[in-house]
Amino acid sequence: MPTRLATLHPATRRLLITWAVLMGLTLVTMFSARLGGDARLQALPLWSAGLLLLSTAFKAHQVLMTYLGLRDASAAWRGAFIGLVLFTLLLVASGYLLAQLGG
């Protein structure tokens, strides 16, 4: 007997699976950020910040490809948007590393 997910249109199934993966990565990000308690006053350890940025990069890629439809766009559009996301993440990572070295 096929599951409900298997009976959906392939595009709808892709959207739902992508949404579930994004929600799971959001939970991973929340747990790695050490929310609550005394941890609010401390900087994230390097592994946690790296996991957060990696998760964010994957999530941004999925949103661009699945929800904005860049999977079907030209290579120039895909490259431009992915380049902007990577540049933004590089700026965030640089700021974090500068704060760690300066503090």
Side-chain angles (χ1 to χ4, degrees):
M1 173 181 237
T3 63
R4 267 190 104 161
L5 188 61
T7 61
L8 293 174
H9 188 272
T12 303
R13 189 175 333 126
R14 177 184 293 164
L15 290 173
L16 289 173
I17 290 171
T18 301
W19 177 82
V21 168
L22 293 176
M23 291 302 104
L25 285 173
T26 298
L27 291 174
V28 168
T29 302
M30 287 173 56
F31 288 125
S32 72
R34 302 181 339 181
L35 298 176
D38 294 332
R40 284 187 230 178
L41 304 175
Q42 300 172 359
L44 292 175
L46 188 59
W47 70 268
S48 182
L51 180 63
L52 193 137
L53 287 173
L54 185 64
S55 172
T56 302
F58 182 78
K59 287 167 44 174
H61 183 268
Q62 289 302 305
V63 168
L64 288 174
M65 295 301 140
T66 303
Y67 291 102
L68 294 183
L70 286 182
R71 183 173 282 125
D72 300 325
S74 69
W77 278 110
R78 280 193 308 270
F81 276 95
I82 291 173
L84 287 171
V85 167
L86 291 176
F87 178 70
T88 302
L89 291 173
L90 182 65
L91 283 177
V92 170
S94 300
Y96 175 78
L97 289 174
L98 284 174
Q100 289 294 316
L101 296 174

